[in-house]
Amino acid sequence: MVPQWIIEKKRDGQVLEADEIRDFIQGYTAGRIPDYQMAAMAMAIYFKGMTPAEIAALTDTMLHTGDVIDTSAISLPKVDKHSTGGIGDKVSIVLAPLAAAAGVAVPMISGRGLGITGGTLDKLASIPGFRTDLTEKRFIEIIQACGFSMMGQTGDVAPADKKLYALRDVTATVPSIPLITASIMCKKLAEGIDSLVLDVKWGTGAFMKSVAAARELAESMVRVGEAMGKNITAFITSMNQPLGQAVGNSLEIIESMECLQGQHLDGDLMQVTLRLTAEMLQLAGKASSEAEANDILLGLLRSGAAFECFKKMTALQGGDPSALDDFSKLPTASIVHDYVAPASGILARVDADGIGRASLVLGGGRQKTDDGIDFAVGLSNLAKVGQTVSKGDRLATIHANDPGKLDQALAYVRDAFAIADAPAPAEPLVVERIGR
Ligand code: URA
């Protein structure tokens, strides 16, 4: 194979054969094809796209550059959920123990936050002692003991993606549907799952800024999952305002634990969580309808079974489960400041992007992959779009450890909220479901 001939073919909009894709990606992963040729190929894919068969071949090749976790020792149906990421998106932390308590095995490999988008691993790391750097053997043992485990990507999973993602990041080739599809799906398929539920976010705080773009990505991922023999469903959900009432690592753990104890059932966070978890139960054959699944899930929340399941997993991963009952044991910020409504009216906008930026400047997120993170900072008590407010009512509580950073965050928070005389047009939280 001559790499430049394959690049030329894609540059001219032709369809690549599966073995051309395989040779190219394997060559790049092994160091035989240099970064500059892979960068040219990524840019050709960015402009010319790929057919579903090409995307499936790319995903399959990237998956098999690394290990696929052997989950055969787990007899329960294995189902995971993946979100394309958002602000205040703590769904995984509530959903995984909830699904596990309902008899579904959830082998969840999660990521760290980057930019304004939070990451499940950072949220979990705010629990004292909690470890996400597990061996594959320990990961399986924990799933066998309590139904789920949440860990970070090991060096052995999809090394092609690790190398290619870093290259895409610096060559302006991240926002390509074929490349995003292969990148996400190769890592999820490496978990050894039977079924997958995808939460594809659209909106100001999401990667995909329109429903149409989110739909295109969702359809692409569902096609690849099906081509690889998995049961897969995608939901398109809104990320124009933060999900739930808290943004920031330990603050999101607190909100998640409240949800696992049956609180906030009417809020947006639990609406999305219940919809996705109900789908997982149906894919796993644990319920035959959404209504039946919801009955099971509400029972597990009310009985405390889902919360106990999370505490058990926390202990097995080295964390202190007593911090989940006594939140004073979680990292706590030294400055707590209420931001109040400057006028009376109806909340027309709580911009997810602005709130994400506020959390980032407080130190709750990272701008570069190796940046440190402050687990204690962020925002809580976030008011929601559509709420009627009077001048002086609290719209958010800001948690900071540095007065200068609090001032920077306040500038973003002020711009994020808009108060109007009339309600904004209602926007669906779950826009649509894609899949069989
Ligand atoms: N998340 C990933 O894992 N890969 C992408 O390409 C984009 C988002």
Side-chain angles (χ1 to χ4, degrees):
M1 180 205 57
V2 180
Q4 52 270 45
W5 293 350
I6 315 280
I7 300 169
E8 200 174 87
K9 204 169 161 186
K10 184 43 68 188
R11 181 201 65 195
D12 294 343
Q14 294 177 46
V15 175
L16 301 180
E17 301 297 334
D19 59 354
E20 291 173 323
I21 294 170
R22 194 188 54 234
D23 288 353
F24 202 98
I25 296 296
Q26 286 178 348
Y28 174 61
T29 310
R32 293 189 299 277
I33 291 182
D35 275 354
Y36 53 82
Q37 285 185 313
M38 187 68 236
M41 175 60 101
M43 192 57 88
I45 294 170
Y46 176 90
F47 279 113
K48 298 296 176 176
M50 282 183 137
T51 64
E54 286 177 293
I55 300 174
L58 179 63
T59 308
D60 189 52
T61 300
M62 285 170 56
L63 167 67
H64 289 107
T65 57
D67 289 349
V68 177
I69 294 183
D70 179 5
T71 52
S72 57
I74 301 168
S75 53
L76 295 172
K78 294 163 280 278
V79 189
D80 192 16
K81 167 253 157 186
H82 176 79
S83 159
T84 55
I87 315 303
D89 181 359
K90 54 203 76 80
V91 168
S92 291
I93 296 170
V94 186
L95 162 147
L98 193 47
V104 179
V106 187
M108 191 177 273
I109 297 181
S110 302
R112 302 197 311 165
L114 183 61
I116 60 167
T117 306
T120 300
L121 292 188
D122 295 326
K123 295 168 199 182
L124 294 171
S126 68
I127 302 171
F130 196 103
R131 297 195 54 172
T132 54
D133 56 338
L134 307 178
T135 61
E136 187 180 319
K137 181 169 171 283
R138 187 71 189 134
F139 185 58
I140 299 293
E141 282 168 2
I142 294 172
I143 298 167
Q144 285 175 318
C146 68
F148 80 113
S149 177
M150 305 169 100
M151 72 164 184
Q153 189 181 343
T154 68
D156 306 330
V157 169
D161 178 64
K162 247 190 206 138
K163 206 170 164 190
L164 179 55
Y165 193 84
L167 184 71
R168 287 166 57 210
D169 206 20
V170 292
T171 56
T173 50
V174 169
S176 149
I177 299 268
L179 295 175
I180 298 173
T181 301
S183 168
I184 292 177
M185 292 301 290
C186 74
K187 287 176 290 208
K188 285 287 126 181
L189 295 170
E191 292 173 340
I193 44 174
D194 306 312
S195 311
L196 179 64
V197 176
L198 294 165
D199 182 7
V200 182
K201 303 273 182 211
W202 87 275
T204 65
F207 217 34
M208 298 288 146
K209 301 295 179 199
S210 69
V211 170
R215 184 180 295 122
E216 200 187 329
L217 177 60
E219 285 172 347
S220 174
M221 291 196 287
V222 167
R223 262 195 310 262
V224 167
E226 284 177 347
M228 302 189 69
K230 306 295 172 191
N231 295 313
I232 178 164
T233 310
F235 289 87
I236 297 175
T237 68
S238 171
M239 185 35 72
N240 283 309
Q241 67 173 327
L243 202 51
Q245 295 175 354
V247 174
N249 297 292
S250 68
L251 296 166
E252 293 192 42
I253 290 291
I254 294 172
E255 187 178 15
S256 303
M257 295 309 110
E258 290 169 354
C259 289
L260 280 171
Q261 293 174 75
Q263 297 177 43
H264 310 300
L265 279 177
D266 295 332
D268 55 356
L269 170 62
M270 282 313 284
Q271 270 184 54
V272 173
T273 303
L274 287 170
R275 188 72 198 268
L276 299 178
T277 319
E279 186 73 23
M280 289 171 77
L281 262 57
Q282 290 172 85
L283 288 175
K286 298 284 174 189
S288 53
S289 67
E290 191 187 339
E292 188 191 341
N294 274 332
D295 280 348
I296 296 170
L297 297 174
L298 291 173
L300 294 167
L301 289 169
R302 294 202 177 104
S303 69
F307 182 48
E308 284 309 315
C309 194
F310 190 86
K311 284 167 86 174
K312 189 167 177 191
M313 184 278 292
T314 297
L316 288 165
Q317 297 199 195
D320 176 4
S322 73
L324 307 173
D325 287 308
D326 176 0
F327 299 144
S328 70
K329 294 184 177 177
L330 294 172
T332 308
S334 55
I335 307 169
V336 177
H337 174 93
D338 279 340
Y339 172 70
V340 300
S344 299
I346 297 173
L347 263 187
R349 191 188 70 222
V350 184
D351 181 37
D353 179 75
I355 299 295
R357 283 170 200 265
S359 180
L360 183 76
V361 297
L362 287 166
R366 52 174 80 76
Q367 298 177 33
K368 297 193 301 304
T369 36
D370 53 356
D371 281 352
I373 205 163
D374 185 341
F375 295 117
V377 300
L379 298 100
S380 63
N381 299 316
L382 284 165
K384 307 298 287 185
V385 169
Q387 214 170 301
T388 302
V389 296
S390 299
K391 185 174 175 181
D393 282 355
R394 180 181 63 199
L395 298 185
T397 302
I398 306 175
H399 302 249
N401 274 325
D402 175 320
K405 290 181 180 173
L406 171 65
D407 286 343
Q408 285 179 45
L410 266 168
Y412 285 111
V413 171
R414 273 188 212 104
D415 283 351
F417 285 97
I419 297 172
D421 294 334
E427 179 186 90
L429 183 57
V430 179
V431 180
E432 69 190 60
R433 176 187 178 281
I434 294 166
R436 284 172 205 274

